[in-house]
Amino acid sequence: TIPWRSYMGVIGKFGLAFPQVVGDPPSYLLQISMMTNSEASSALQEVEMGWMCSNILMSQVLRFMQLYMLGFGVEVATCDDMYDQCIAVPAARVVCPQTCGCDSPLGLVFDIEGEAGCPLKCLEAGRWSSLVAPMPCRDYTREELEATDFWHSWVNQFHERLAYLAAGFEDAISVICANYSGNCTKMFESGCSFVQDWAVGVKLVFPEHYNPSACTGKYFGSALQMVWRPLAPICPESCGCLEDPDQTTFTNEDSLVRICPSTCSAGSNSGSVVIVSNGSTANNDTEDDNDTMDD
């Protein structure tokens, strides 16, 4: 367990503090430097407030962030000021994971674990389950996806993450996305049909027992230990949620997380989504909106 004073060292991993102001023993700094961004982010959550996935932009953390963000020309007072930085600045996801949607099925961040900066326990937080549960048990149409903020954000990040992973393996990627002339981003942009197309393509490159699934966020199955955005909440029909509504995925801490809307348990794909400007959704059969990007 990292002691209280080490929280500045955790922030320092993201370039928010200088060693001379950290004041921790070298052994703790070494421990922090060996962490992934998500592990460091989780440690900060635990030592700062004992939380799992909460906005913690306060006290000394706020002062460090104000100083750091001046380098980007951004004045920071609350996590609302960090919203537009959620994708470009990993530290934004560290201190404002709720604002950045780390614990939301429709959050802006595509790479929700690994080096993304989102705390490891965000998918285990109660907010994730509470937002997934009432979502309609039907696939978003491509037109509906195009009307959201989160989809455009995911497309751009998918392209960037895949380009990084594919360096030196361009031929393999061409095979995976052969039906789209080797353009995997175009495949992703197709919407929920991507789920099946991607699984078929990856199985041509990796052994089938690796179980690749965009539905669970394990896009390369067990071949790569990383979690990207699970698509089951927005593609429950394509992901088989009507047939198996109790589907789950594993987080990096091997905890089970529900990914299918609870509405699928009724065996019906009724209901429709309403798209609003911040990417939140609502079921037309109810009166309440599910705000997915609040602090």
Side-chain angles (χ1 to χ4, degrees), residues 173-241:
I173 296 300
S174 295
V175 172
I176 293 175
C177 304
N179 289 342
Y180 290 80
S181 302
N183 189 334
C184 293
T185 301
K186 185 176 180 180
M187 179 192 285
F188 191 84
E189 287 176 326
S190 68
C192 288
S193 62
F194 169 82
V195 168
Q196 181 63 24
D197 291 341
W198 178 260
V200 171
V202 173
K203 287 177 182 178
L204 294 175
V205 177
F206 294 98
E208 187 168 346
H209 68 265
Y210 281 15
N211 297 319
S213 173
C215 296
T216 65
K218 304 286 188 178
Y219 285 63
F220 293 93
S222 57
L224 295 175
Q225 295 302 314
M226 63 184 184
V227 179
W228 285 349
R229 179 64 61 173
L231 297 187
I234 65 168
C235 302
E237 292 176 287
S238 295
C239 289
C241 290

Side-chain angles (χ1 to χ4, degrees), residues 18-30:
F18 299 101
Q20 60 265 32
V21 301
V22 174
D24 282 317
S27 60
Y28 288 129
L29 293 180
L30 179 61

Side-chain angles (χ1 to χ4, degrees), residues 239-266:
C239 289
C241 290
L242 279 168
E243 294 77 20
D244 182 12
D246 297 321
Q247 291 182 58
T248 56
T249 188
F250 282 99
T251 69
N252 281 348
E253 294 195 337
D254 291 334
S255 298
L256 288 171
V257 177
R258 186 184 181 96
I259 55 175
C260 289
S262 296
T263 52
C264 295
S265 298

Side-chain angles (χ1 to χ4, degrees), residues 34-271:
M34 295 176 64
M35 292 178 175
T36 66
N37 286 352
S38 286
E39 288 170 343
S41 179
S42 297
L44 181 59
Q45 289 276 325
E46 293 171 9
V47 301
E48 179 69 15
M49 287 293 180
W51 292 336
M52 295 172 60
C53 185
S54 299
N55 291 339
I56 56 173
L57 192 60
M58 60 189 74
S59 186
Q60 293 194 54
V61 177
L62 173 58
R63 288 194 288 274
F64 277 127
M65 285 300 295
Q66 288 174 327
L67 182 63
Y68 178 66
M69 294 307 296
L70 284 177
F72 295 88
V74 178
E75 294 185 2
V76 175
T78 70
C79 278
D80 287 340
D81 301 320
M82 297 298 296
Y83 181 81
D84 290 337
Q85 311 302 319
C86 286
I87 305 305
V89 183
R93 304 190 282 274
V94 175
V95 299
C96 300
Q98 281 194 316
T99 296
C100 291
C102 293
D103 63 350
S104 167
L106 304 182
L108 290 180
V109 181
F110 184 70
D111 186 358
I112 52 179
E113 289 192 354
E115 290 300 291
C118 289
L120 291 171
K121 293 184 179 293
C122 282
L123 290 188
E124 300 172 43
R127 190 167 179 264
W128 171 275
S129 297
S130 68
L131 291 173
V132 170
M135 293 177 68
C137 190
R138 73 159 183 82
D139 289 356
Y140 273 68
T141 66
R142 183 171 181 176
E143 291 72 22
E144 288 169 341
L145 290 172
E146 288 288 340
T148 68
D149 290 339
F150 72 82
W151 183 248
H152 293 284
S153 179
W154 293 2
V155 168
N156 291 335
Q157 291 174 79
F158 173 81
H159 175 77
E160 293 172 359
R161 301 297 186 272
L162 193 62
Y164 175 79
L165 287 174
F169 300 94
E170 289 80 4
D171 290 345
I173 296 300
S174 295
V175 172
I176 293 175
C177 304
N179 289 342
Y180 290 80
S181 302
N183 189 334
C184 293
T185 301
K186 185 176 180 180
M187 179 192 285
F188 191 84
E189 287 176 326
S190 68
C192 288
S193 62
F194 169 82
V195 168
Q196 181 63 24
D197 291 341
W198 178 260
V200 171
V202 173
K203 287 177 182 178
L204 294 175
V205 177
F206 294 98
E208 187 168 346
H209 68 265
Y210 281 15
N211 297 319
S213 173
C215 296
T216 65
K218 304 286 188 178
Y219 285 63
F220 293 93
S222 57
L224 295 175
Q225 295 302 314
M226 63 184 184
V227 179
W228 285 349
R229 179 64 61 173
L231 297 187
I234 65 168
C235 302
E237 292 176 287
S238 295
C239 289
C241 290
L242 279 168
E243 294 77 20
D244 182 12
D246 297 321
Q247 291 182 58
T248 56
T249 188
F250 282 99
T251 69
N252 281 348
E253 294 195 337
D254 291 334
S255 298
L256 288 171
V257 177
R258 186 184 181 96
I259 55 175
C260 289
S262 296
T263 52
C264 295
S265 298
S268 171
N269 60 354
S270 62

